[in-house]
Amino acid sequence: MADLNASSQPRSPRGLAILGATGSIGTQTLDVVRLFPDRFDVRALTCGSNVDRLAEQVREFQPSVVTAGSDERAAALRDRVADVDVEVTAGEEGLCDVATRTDVDVVVAAVVGFAGLAPVLAALRAGKTVALANKETMVVGGPLVREVWEEGDGELLPVDSEHSAIFQCLAGESQRTVDEIVLTASGGPFRTRPADTFGDITVEEALDHPNWSMGPKITIDSATMMNKGLEVIEARWLFDLSADQIEVLVHPQSIVHSMVAFADGAVKAQLGVPDMKVPIQYALSYPSRWPAPHERLDWGNLTRLDFEQPDTDKFPCLRLAFDALDVGGTAPAVLNAANEAAVDRFLDEKISFLDIPRVIERTLERVSTTSSPSLDDLYAADAEARRCVEELATAPSN
Ligand code: NAD
Ligand code: MG
């Protein structure tokens, strides 16, 4: 393609740290980097356990530092890149270190789960721009992250497609004129499946998302609709809205990525084919838009867009998330940890699909919440919720 890297002024490449480089968002971020090789210099890559894929990425992108999820994985990674000049580190400390290095300008937070919180806070404190895919960070630590973001020089840009859509709709608008936002949801693979068959749902069926190809945890979250619940909490803190300004609307085609309704009755929506490379690229190019060969909407074949209300009897996780947001304090951290632990057990075939919301609800009932939590309080709430799931998962239906 001609002219992809055309620009009116010469610029130096931006230093990138990609946390969770081997996952779905991480690999698609590297696809975007391949489209714009002159604009980025990949300085750091990290993985949890997939050291083989990370070693391939090291050879292609030549970062100066890489991090694996544990000392054991880091040792395995060191073996695989022994012939390359690259520093290998491990664990949360390693993640926080790469997120704050002086040669890093932009941190792509694409790890999954609670593990994203500490490095995102560290990056914002160090004044970095964070392209945030890891929604669990805002769910667990929304008020704390907002505080660090508002007080420092760091910037937080959404990658999640709905939040990128809202962010794009808000461009040039005053926050005061926002009536409400409408987060669209595909409804997942079980939108039309009768609720009385949910007890038979297999892991394979739950991993078969109709519109998006994503990592296993978020794919299960989409099947339970917890993903939309997490996104409601993420939106509350990213855009500083109240819970009653956030609507959820099921839109099975995933073409309208989300909408903003304004005080004068106007509604703005952002549309496109479901392709995460578009919101990833926007977070990296912001405030510019860069021409790119991503798939276009085919107007000739676009005959209808459907919308329906979510069914919270069938998908109680969505209600649980709104409830946790309402309670506040550590409740969203408990919701998140219970969900992570329950999804892990479902993927391991230890509990059923219907047990996921049951286990989360009972954990929220059992674990007491703290208001205005510190970072330590959030870690404690996370650990306690996981312990509670461990206990409940042995007899979830009692
Ligand atoms: P994934 O499972 O495909 O990838 C996760 C990455 O994080 C991998 O590189 C993995 O090695 C690493 N990782 C996992 N656990 C870790 C740990 N404890 N410590 C350090 N690294 C760890 O997940 P994904 O689908 O790419 O999702 C990443 C994040 O982006 C999630 O928070 C998800 O909700 C969000 N998100 C994903 C999509 C999508 O299309 N995949 C869309 C919107 C938002
Ligand atoms: Mg999303």
Side-chain angles (χ1 to χ4, degrees):
M1 279 250 321
D3 222 20
L4 268 185
N5 291 294
S7 117
S8 50
Q9 289 173 345
R11 67 182 74 215
S12 55
R14 297 171 90 196
L16 273 191
I18 305 175
L19 315 184
T22 57
S24 165
I25 294 292
T27 52
Q28 293 180 85
T29 302
L30 289 170
D31 288 341
V32 171
V33 171
R34 283 189 192 96
L35 289 174
F36 304 97
D38 300 338
R39 292 190 184 264
F40 300 109
D41 197 344
V42 175
R43 305 259 160 76
L45 295 171
T46 87
C47 74
S49 56
N50 194 345
V51 294
D52 288 324
R53 185 172 289 169
L54 196 68
E56 286 167 23
Q57 293 175 346
V58 166
R59 288 174 201 289
E60 181 177 354
F61 294 97
Q62 300 172 5
S64 52
V65 57
V66 289
T67 302
S70 64
D71 289 337
E72 199 189 2
R73 297 288 171 178
L77 181 57
R78 228 172 256 123
D79 270 357
R80 285 166 180 72
V81 295
D83 57 327
V84 183
D85 181 19
V86 61
E87 185 184 343
V88 181
T89 65
E92 186 175 286
E93 208 178 310
L95 280 178
C96 292
D97 169 55
V98 303
T100 55
R101 293 218 167 184
T102 48
D103 61 353
V104 167
D105 304 302
V106 182
V107 176
V108 180
V111 300
V112 57
F114 182 81
L117 177 65
V120 167
L121 283 170
L124 287 174
R125 284 201 179 98
K128 308 298 184 192
T129 294
V130 176
L132 185 78
N134 176 270
K135 64 193 77 184
E136 294 90 347
T137 287
M138 293 313 264
V139 174
V140 173
L144 198 58
V145 176
R146 245 207 110 77
E147 193 183 302
V148 172
W149 175 20
E150 278 169 1
E151 282 174 3
D153 299 328
E155 184 61 278
L156 198 52
L157 299 170
V159 167
D160 211 348
S161 58
E162 296 76 3
H163 304 74
S164 177
I166 303 289
F167 186 61
Q168 293 178 59
C169 292
L170 288 174
E173 305 286 354
S174 157
Q175 175 90 12
R176 288 192 309 279
T177 65
V178 174
D179 259 2
E180 61 172 16
I181 65 169
V182 182
L183 295 177
T184 52
S186 70
F190 308 131
R191 183 178 59 87
T192 59
R193 179 170 172 147
D196 61 5
T197 69
F198 273 28
D200 306 327
I201 288 172
T202 64
V203 171
E204 196 185 342
E205 288 171 329
L207 283 175
D208 190 16
H209 195 277
N211 303 343
W212 298 94
S213 166
M214 311 177 284
K217 193 261 177 182
I218 183 176
T219 305
I220 302 302
D221 286 347
S222 301
T224 61
M225 290 198 73
M226 179 57 95
N227 184 50
K228 212 48 53 182
L230 300 179
E231 290 184 356
V232 167
I233 304 175
E234 180 187 15
R236 188 264 174 263
W237 296 112
L238 269 178
F239 303 114
D240 200 15
L241 300 164
S242 63
D244 59 12
Q245 285 179 294
I246 307 171
E247 293 286 329
V248 171
L249 197 55
V250 173
H251 166 48
Q253 292 93 352
S254 299
I255 297 289
V256 176
H257 296 311
S258 279
M259 302 182 260
V260 179
F262 292 93
D264 58 355
V267 178
K268 283 164 86 172
Q270 189 259 334
L271 285 72
V273 292
D275 176 358
M276 284 309 296
K277 288 194 289 300
V278 177
I280 291 169
Q281 181 179 312
Y282 188 66
L284 296 177
S285 71
Y286 177 80
S288 305
R289 283 188 191 275
W290 298 338
H294 306 306
E295 190 184 337
R296 274 22 184 192
L297 269 182
D298 177 1
W299 300 111
N301 281 316
L302 185 65
T303 51
R304 56 188 286 175
L305 295 171
D306 295 291
F307 300 95
E308 62 195 41
Q309 287 299 312
D311 181 344
T312 52
D313 291 331
K314 212 164 140 181
F315 298 101
C317 285
L318 187 55
R319 174 177 51 77
L320 293 173
F322 269 106
D323 289 350
L325 179 56
D326 195 36
V327 173
T330 47
V334 171
L335 172 97
N336 178 70
N339 181 56
E340 286 189 32
V343 169
D344 273 351
R345 280 170 179 74
F346 172 71
L347 286 168
D348 287 345
E349 300 185 339
K350 302 257 169 53
I351 64 171
S352 74
F353 189 78
L354 283 174
D355 286 333
I356 298 175
R358 282 185 197 137
V359 161
I360 298 167
E361 184 155 26
R362 297 198 61 189
T363 304
L364 281 163
E365 285 162 7
R366 283 193 186 191
V367 176
S368 57
T369 53
T370 312
S371 56
S372 308
S374 65
L375 188 58
D376 286 346
D377 294 333
L378 296 174
Y379 273 78
D382 178 87
E384 197 183 339
R386 286 171 202 268
R387 271 196 303 276
C388 186
V389 171
E390 177 82 54
E391 284 167 27
L392 289 168
T394 48
S397 50
N398 287 342

